[in-house]
Amino acid sequence: MCSPCIKHPFKHDKRTITIHEAIRKVCEYIGISVSDLQSKNRKQYLVDGRRMIAGILYCDNSFRLTKSEIGRFLGGRDHTTVMHLLRTLQTICEAYPDYKEKYRDRK
């Protein structure tokens, strides 16, 4: 499942990046605030952001997070919500190969 179609918006350098830094950088990249991302709001652009972050955190081997842990970082969401985000991300990436461009063009 984990061949991410979304390019990391941050580069790994010599030091390790924390999960909070990764979330903050992704939020900056896609133009939303961390507090909005972690809110209960279900606006489409926020759900898209959560989907992108869940995919990056789950597929990046340096984080080694479970779905429950990712859910906690996304505002206390359940692991089944993260499962749904990842399934939806995979479906979108298969159906729309240019999906990753959506966020590059957003800024």
Side-chain angles (χ1 to χ4, degrees):
M1 145 137 202
C2 238
S3 56
C5 66
I6 298 172
K7 183 181 175 202
H8 285 281
F10 51 89
K11 294 179 181 167
H12 290 287
D13 51 5
K14 300 259 191 265
R15 69 180 184 88
T16 55
I17 188 168
T18 67
I19 295 161
H20 294 289
E21 288 174 313
I23 291 172
R24 186 182 50 77
K25 287 185 180 220
V26 172
C27 286
E28 286 174 11
Y29 180 76
I30 60 178
I32 61 176
S33 71
V34 175
S35 60
D36 283 344
L37 178 90
Q38 295 175 335
S39 72
K40 299 294 180 191
N41 197 321
R42 293 190 283 175
K43 290 183 180 175
Q44 189 62 49
Y45 72 97
L46 295 175
V47 174
D48 288 343
R50 289 181 197 120
R51 185 181 304 125
M52 181 181 185
I53 290 173
I56 289 171
L57 292 178
Y58 187 71
C59 294
D60 192 323
N61 292 332
S62 64
F63 294 122
R64 299 183 188 271
L65 295 174
T66 65
K67 293 175 182 104
S68 295
E69 291 168 331
I70 293 170
R72 281 194 291 273
F73 284 109
L74 295 178
R77 285 168 171 76
D78 192 61
H79 76 281
T80 56
T81 302
V82 176
M83 289 171 60
H84 178 70
L85 290 171
L86 295 171
R87 261 194 313 263
T88 306
L89 178 63
Q90 183 178 12
T91 303
I92 289 171
C93 288
E94 289 170 358
Y96 304 100
D98 60 340
Y99 178 70
K100 61 185 173 187
E101 300 300 321
K102 176 180 181 179
Y103 289 100
R104 268 192 228 152
D105 296 338
R106 189 152 198 254
K107 279 212 154 195

